[in-house]
Amino acid sequence: MEFRLLGAVSVVTEVGELPLGPAKRRSLLAALLLRPNHPVPVEALTDALWDQMPPPRARSVIQGHVSRLRSLLTEAGAGMYGVELVTQGAAYVLRMPESLLDAHRFEELVALARGQRVVGDAVAMYQEALALWQGPALTGAYRSAPLQAAAQALEELRLTAVELLAGAYTQVGEYARAASLLRAEAAAQPLRESLSAALIRTLQRAGRRSEALDWFHRTRQLLAEELGVGPGRELADAYAVVLRGDGDPAAPVAATAPAPPDPQAAPAPAHPGTADLLPRMPRGFHGRADELTALSRAAAGEAPVCLVTGPAGVGKTALVVHWAHRNRDRFPGGLLYADLRGFSDTREVEPAEVMRDFLLALGVAPRRIPESASGASALFRSLAADRQLLVVLDNAPGSAQVQELLPGGARCVTVVTSRHRLPALIASDAARPVPVDVLGPEDSAALLAAVLGEERVRAEAGAARRLAELCGGLPLALRVAAARLTDQPEWSLSTLSGELSDESRRLALLDVEDTGVRAALRLTVRRLPADAAHHFAHLGRHPGTHVDRYAAAALAATDPATAEAALDRLAAAHLVTRTAPDRWTLHDLVRLYARGLDADPDTLPRALDHAVATALAAADAAEPGDESCFPLPADFRAPPEIRRFAARDEAMAWYEAERDGLTLAAAAADAAGLHSRTWRLVLGLWPQIVWRVRDGWTPLLGTALEAARADGDLRAQSRILALLGWVLTEEGRVPEALAHLEAAPVLAARAGDRSAQATALINLSLAQAALGSPQEAVEECADAALLAHDAGDPYTERLALYHLTCHQLACGAWESALETVAAAQALDDLADASAAGRVLLVAAAGEALLGMGDEAAGTARLREAAGAAEACGFDDGAVRALGALLRVTTGAELATLQRRHDKALARLQLRS
């Protein structure tokens, strides 16, 4: 998914551009995209959508456009990309990864290009950045004053990039390319003197002096006619260069804008007498190129406040201090630093104490420092007003402490670090967030190498990757692991990786003295309100990788609304991460820490019972009318509330998203000896197993079978054996399948479960048919239909009749097959048949009619079945119906049918 401002305002997905509709809606989207992840008040949106006098119902119109835009994004699957349009008070926020926005990528590429030491690399980046432009910025949006100003600002950035690219071309002697680029832009922007000056200098370097002089005179005349002014200094200087004949055509020309300082170069010394409270440069710092670039971008502008946030131990302080040292020459007015100790065992630092230290560092005599906090703040702001000052406020516990320490000078930059997101600081002071996440595998290995030495890490590259994985990419954990290896040189990286693989010892091994992951997390948790801390402690027992508000409520024995509020608070403290609108995850080390806080023996059983109940609800929605696949156990703990599913598609999407979670829950139940939950969790997956039968279910079903045997439940054993036998049959392992399928109906009969006995006989018939015994299969299915009828189970009876039809077709019993189809269709209302089930019966009727020689009626049924199957996305049915049609179709239609068949088959194979 890509959001575009550099050209027509649009949203482009894998399947094409979203139909955004009228200009007002595009204008609203543009206004939100110009401030991604920031609240945009309704008043600002009103200004963007109307000039001067908005209509009386402007707010309602905006709400309507927001609602439609939200629907479009939801339908396009925006949540999978981390995109969400939310209401925040009297404002709207478009939450999104900024990398999805072309304007963000453009600015990032230009910033990276300016930092390149190799000119060829810079050229490629400038070209890539300018290629993102598809026309004038914000095309298609309403040309209100705010949006026009934004478009002009973006155009200014584009023109600056053009000048930089032209300068890079001249550096490598490509004057013709530089001149061509500049000429086109100067012709389009004839009053932009910097473009004309750059073109004149480039033409002179290229030896085209007459053209350079001609362009100057044209520009001078236009300035006089249009603006009544003469050439500015830059244009006049370029003209003087041409007149003097300066500039060797063979010599490279510097880019029009100076490159920033080399980030790897040694920092410039502090200005003599300048305040400098920065801690020493962090040792072993590596990577973080994206974060450093983001911090530099955030620090641009007038009096910015940058908010660097992330979980405990992720390296926020190291990042900021490293950046500050590398950029110290940008702040001749001084570099101030204070640790507010918001997450330490000692007391928080009062703002008045910090203010006193700052004033002393700025040269204020102790006796001249005002005693009152307000007086000290006023003096600090007055001193900062004319200085180019950097203020670093580290480990801020909240927004209030920070707000009292902001310098406010137009040329000052304030960088705040916190484990909390501090939304109040964003709202009050437009703080620009710079999130910091864990390190990737390469940077993790580089951090280890910085401490242990490259040779040691290179010698055990695989163990180093495993070590980084066990540390979850958390810099603090990696440094502690490296410290252990340094302290015990006889240990190999493989040895420590093996030790850390034991979850019960991992956190202990990642502590040294009073430093480590547990200590850092303890200080974060200590600041949580009681309700959030209560939920956090129970989250560690969740067996899956993700949790929603319903699962969190079940774990903590609360309700979903309370759980969601707690999860939001935990996300603000970076203890959980929201990955979708109702989906949170924990870092592995955070999960282990939370698990150690939970002493409630009922937490895991509550989580398992919640999963069981939700799986039953999904099965009811996915296969309406079918009997419950199992009864609830006597000691079942009913969850406070579970997710409800409005339709089959919603239920199947949940199965797809939660398959791994349910598998992990079954494994956790099995490990805890909770056998009655183990097999129920696996059987709860049966609609997805049926839908994706060739998806490697055998080991999981084997676990369920062992659990059902340990639980002594004959009915469960029968159901699992029947399902396992069918899966093995579909996998082509028919001899193995028969052993299970022959035992399944016997166990069901002993349990007195006629429906389970009928299901087992149906699956047994499929194995018999696969072995080439269709007559035996007919008999088994006929018995299954009678058993289901006697049990009052129309769903299973209908299923038995369908498979009986298939076996009769295989035997060439066309009339019997047609009669059986009619009997099955008569049960449609009783069995609440799905669209897929109806498709299969119509297709079977078509095949029977063809067998009887009635080609017209048979092909009509098959066409009906194929169309219905394609309409509801039932690829199995489409393949069957279209395959039968292909066998009797000739002429021009054959190619069309073949394409439809092949597309359905390809989708089916991809899903399987």
Side-chain angles (χ1 to χ4, degrees):
M1 177 169 283
E2 180 183 16
F3 293 83
R4 294 179 179 174
L5 292 176
L6 308 181
V9 178
S10 59
V11 184
V12 181
T13 68
E14 293 179 357
V15 297
E17 188 174 318
L18 294 189
L20 294 178
K24 296 291 188 188
R25 193 171 302 141
R26 291 178 186 271
S27 304
L28 183 140
L29 175 60
L32 294 172
L33 288 173
L34 287 166
R35 297 196 64 199
N37 302 307
H38 288 77
V40 182
V42 170
E43 292 77 10
L45 294 174
T46 303
D47 292 341
L49 269 63
W50 290 278
D51 282 324
Q52 296 180 351
M53 294 295 292
R57 297 181 65 253
R59 184 178 293 267
S60 297
V61 173
I62 288 173
Q63 289 172 344
H65 285 309
V66 168
S67 177
R68 180 56 185 151
L69 185 57
R70 185 180 286 138
S71 297
L72 285 169
L73 292 173
T74 301
E75 291 167 5
M80 295 188 300
Y81 300 92
V83 178
E84 182 182 15
L85 177 52
V86 298
T87 305
Q88 189 170 311
Y92 297 99
V93 184
L94 186 56
R95 295 176 180 163
M96 60 181 291
E98 291 189 20
S99 59
L100 300 180
L101 179 61
D102 60 353
H104 170 83
R105 296 202 307 280
F106 169 76
E107 291 186 48
E108 198 167 54
L109 283 166
V110 171
L112 287 171
R114 296 181 73 162
Q116 293 301 308
R117 304 180 72 174
V118 178
V119 180
D121 293 342
V123 166
M125 290 180 181
Y126 286 131
Q127 289 172 333
E128 184 180 350
L130 290 168
L132 293 171
W133 285 75
Q134 305 294 314
L138 308 189
T139 298
Y142 180 64
R143 305 304 286 177
S144 61
L147 293 185
Q148 276 189 311
Q152 290 168 0
L154 288 169
E155 176 65 10
E156 182 67 27
L157 292 174
R158 188 188 72 83
L159 291 172
T160 299
V162 167
E163 292 174 3
L164 288 166
L165 175 56
Y169 280 148
T170 61
Q171 282 187 284
V172 293
E174 294 192 18
Y175 305 113
R177 294 183 72 179
S180 175
L181 177 66
L182 290 168
R183 186 186 292 276
E185 295 294 343
Q189 302 280 340
L191 299 178
R192 185 179 175 93
E193 293 187 52
S194 61
L195 277 173
S196 292
L199 175 58
I200 291 166
R201 287 194 301 269
T202 301
L203 290 170
Q204 166 66 9
R205 290 284 176 178
R208 295 154 65 180
R209 187 167 182 262
S210 61
E211 288 182 61
L213 290 170
D214 178 63
W215 197 269
F216 169 77
H217 291 302
R218 288 172 56 188
T219 306
R220 182 181 63 179
Q221 183 178 356
L222 190 63
L223 288 169
E225 292 174 354
E226 295 290 331
L227 303 178
V229 299
R233 181 172 180 176
E234 187 177 3
L235 189 58
D237 287 348
Y239 178 57
V241 167
V242 179
L243 290 179
R244 291 195 304 267
D246 293 348
D248 177 7
V253 180
T256 55
D262 176 13
Q264 299 304 320
H271 296 268
T274 298
D276 187 353
L277 300 182
L278 285 181
R280 64 174 175 81
M281 176 81 86
R283 297 182 184 275
F285 185 88
H286 184 82
R288 299 296 193 193
D290 291 345
E291 290 85 351
L292 288 168
T293 299
L295 186 52
S296 293
R297 289 179 64 245
E302 184 174 325
V305 178
C306 310
L307 178 56
V308 179
T309 61
V314 81
K316 301 178 293 295
T317 301
L319 170 74
V320 170
V321 173
H322 179 87
W323 178 86
H325 275 285
R326 294 301 182 190
N327 290 273
R328 59 167 59 248
D329 59 338
R330 290 179 52 186
F331 305 103
L335 303 113
L336 303 180
Y337 171 91
D339 183 355
L340 302 184
R341 296 204 294 266
F343 305 92
S344 68
D345 283 320
T346 58
R347 69 174 179 83
E348 294 175 13
V349 179
E350 294 294 329
E353 298 176 56
V354 177
M355 190 62 68
R356 180 177 178 81
D357 290 342
F358 283 178
L359 290 172
L360 288 171
L362 292 173
V364 179
R367 64 179 182 277
R368 295 190 58 196
I369 297 176
E371 293 185 7
S372 69
S374 58
S377 295
L379 178 58
F380 176 57
R381 289 193 296 273
S382 68
L383 291 173
D386 297 323
R387 291 178 183 247
Q388 205 160 337
L389 191 68
L390 173 66
V391 178
V392 177
L393 302 174
D394 200 11
N395 290 310
S399 300
Q401 293 89 334
V402 172
Q403 288 162 338
E404 295 184 44
L405 297 169
L406 297 178
R411 296 187 297 162
C412 295
V413 173
T414 305
V415 181
V416 181
T417 78
S418 182
R419 297 181 192 180
H420 290 170
R421 290 179 179 162
L422 306 188
L425 190 65
I426 297 173
S428 64
D429 293 275
R432 303 172 185 182
V434 179
V436 183
D437 205 348
V438 296
L439 295 174
E442 291 185 7
D443 285 338
S444 295
L447 190 153
L448 289 172
V451 181
L452 300 173
E454 289 190 12
E455 289 185 9
R456 189 174 179 185
V457 172
R458 194 183 303 117
E460 293 189 84
R465 287 193 295 272
R466 176 60 177 156
L467 195 60
E469 180 184 339
L470 291 167
C471 291
L474 192 69
L476 175 61
L478 288 163
R479 289 183 180 276
V480 171
R484 282 203 174 276
L485 289 167
T486 302
D487 186 52
Q488 302 182 61
E490 71 279 5
W491 277 26
S492 66
L493 274 69
S494 298
T495 301
L496 182 56
S497 296
E499 296 290 327
L500 289 174
S501 296
D502 182 355
E503 287 190 350
S504 65
R505 301 184 59 220
R506 190 177 304 167
L507 287 177
L509 288 167
L510 293 176
D511 281 341
V512 287
E513 299 180 3
D514 59 348
T515 300
V517 176
R518 284 190 300 193
L521 290 171
R522 175 175 56 80
L523 297 172
T524 303
V525 173
R526 192 175 65 180
R527 297 193 64 87
L528 293 173
D531 192 55
H534 170 75
H535 281 81
F536 176 71
H538 289 81
L539 286 177
R541 292 292 174 188
H542 188 260
T545 56
H546 289 77
V547 65
D548 61 15
R549 64 184 184 275
Y550 301 100
L555 285 161
T558 59
D559 61 86
T562 302
E564 184 171 21
L567 287 165
D568 282 337
R569 193 64 182 259
L570 294 174
H574 290 93
L575 289 168
V576 302
T577 301
R578 186 195 290 264
T579 59
D582 187 19
R583 197 169 171 86
W584 288 264
T585 187
L586 284 77
H587 187 282
D588 286 346
L589 297 179
V590 176
R591 186 190 309 280
L592 291 177
Y593 181 78
R595 190 176 300 169
L597 301 177
D598 181 30
D600 184 352
D602 287 336
T603 302
L604 178 61
R606 284 198 300 267
L608 298 175
D609 284 347
H610 167 265
V612 168
T614 310
L616 280 176
D620 287 343
E623 300 293 342
D626 190 17
E627 65 163 345
S628 176
C629 50
F630 51 77
L632 294 171
D635 59 345
F636 178 76
R637 298 164 178 79
E641 189 177 339
I642 62 170
R643 182 182 299 277
R644 297 298 177 185
F645 304 95
R648 172 184 171 80
D649 288 349
E650 188 178 332
M652 295 308 294
W654 179 84
Y655 274 122
E656 189 69 26
E658 296 299 328
R659 173 183 171 175
D660 290 344
L662 290 171
T663 301
L664 289 170
D670 193 52
L674 299 172
H675 304 300
S676 63
R677 271 59 176 183
T678 304
W679 65 260
R680 283 181 169 85
L681 285 164
V682 177
L683 270 187
L685 280 160
W686 78 265
Q688 192 184 33
I689 296 174
V690 170
W691 192 249
R692 301 184 62 164
V693 62
R694 303 173 192 89
D695 211 15
W697 300 101
T698 305
L700 186 61
L701 289 168
T703 299
L705 182 59
E706 291 302 317
R709 286 169 175 165
D711 199 29
D713 192 309
L714 296 179
R715 183 180 188 274
Q717 293 174 50
S718 169
R719 295 270 175 170
I720 296 165
L721 283 168
L723 188 55
L724 178 57
W726 178 62
V727 169
L728 288 169
T729 301
E730 290 293 314
E731 291 178 353
R733 298 157 63 181
V734 182
E736 289 181 67
L738 276 177
H740 298 305
L741 292 169
E742 288 171 350
V746 176
L747 289 171
R750 286 174 56 192
D753 186 348
R754 292 186 178 183
S755 289
Q757 188 178 359
T759 300
L761 289 174
I762 293 169
N763 292 355
L764 176 59
S765 77
L766 296 175
Q768 290 169 334
L771 287 174
S773 304
Q775 193 55 49
E776 289 184 44
V778 166
E779 294 170 5
E780 299 291 5
C781 267
D783 290 344
L786 290 173
L787 282 167
H789 182 79
D790 291 344
D793 179 0
Y795 187 94
T796 304
E797 182 183 359
R798 186 180 180 281
L799 184 65
L801 291 172
Y802 166 70
H803 285 291
L804 176 57
T805 301
C806 293
H807 299 319
Q808 289 169 333
L809 290 173
C811 293
W814 314 115
E815 292 83 357
S816 298
L818 195 59
E819 291 174 4
T820 306
V821 166
Q825 290 175 327
L827 293 171
D828 276 357
D829 291 338
L830 290 174
D832 194 12
S834 65
R838 291 193 177 98
V839 163
L840 291 173
L841 287 175
V842 172
E847 291 182 66
L849 288 165
L850 287 179
M852 294 167 63
D854 191 345
E855 186 170 328
T859 54
R861 293 289 185 91
L862 288 168
R863 291 180 194 282
E864 177 189 347
E870 289 170 325
C872 69
F874 181 39
D875 294 320
D876 295 86
V879 167
R880 174 152 192 165
L882 291 167
L885 278 171
L886 284 172
R887 291 192 291 271
V888 295
T889 302
T890 58
E893 190 186 6
L894 185 61
T896 301
L897 289 175
Q898 188 68 56
R899 282 196 298 271
R900 290 168 62 190
H901 176 272
D902 292 347
K903 285 182 180 179
L905 183 60
R907 289 192 298 268
L908 182 61
Q909 290 171 339
L910 181 63
R911 191 176 72 240
S912 298

